[in-house]
Amino acid sequence: MGATTIGALVGGVIDSMGGDDDSNADGAIVGAITANVLKVVVPVAITYAVGWAVLRGAAELKEQVFGGEDA
């Protein structure tokens, strides 16, 4: 099952638990859209975090190798 299908199923179930209306379709649509957004956002966030950690580590390594600038 794809992420979109699972998102639609979860969204439909959550919408039916609310008891506001008889249709689960709007919850399924929101769930599917959320799943597709997360398929893009999560990898971008992980890539950003890893890149930030690498740059932070490179700055610390540079500081250890070359020492601080004493004015």
Side-chain angles (χ1 to χ4, degrees):
M1 286 187 145
T4 304
T5 306
I6 293 173
L9 291 173
V10 170
V13 169
I14 291 173
D15 189 42
S16 68
M17 290 171 46
D20 293 338
D21 55 6
D22 293 333
S23 175
N24 298 338
D26 53 344
I29 292 170
V30 170
I33 291 170
T34 303
N36 282 326
V37 168
L38 288 177
K39 283 195 299 189
V40 173
V41 170
V42 169
V44 169
I46 291 171
T47 302
Y48 179 82
V50 169
W52 180 82
V54 168
L55 289 175
R56 181 80 176 168
E60 289 292 325
L61 180 63
K62 178 185 164 199
E63 181 70 27
Q64 286 181 359
V65 170
F66 297 113
E69 292 184 20
D70 294 326

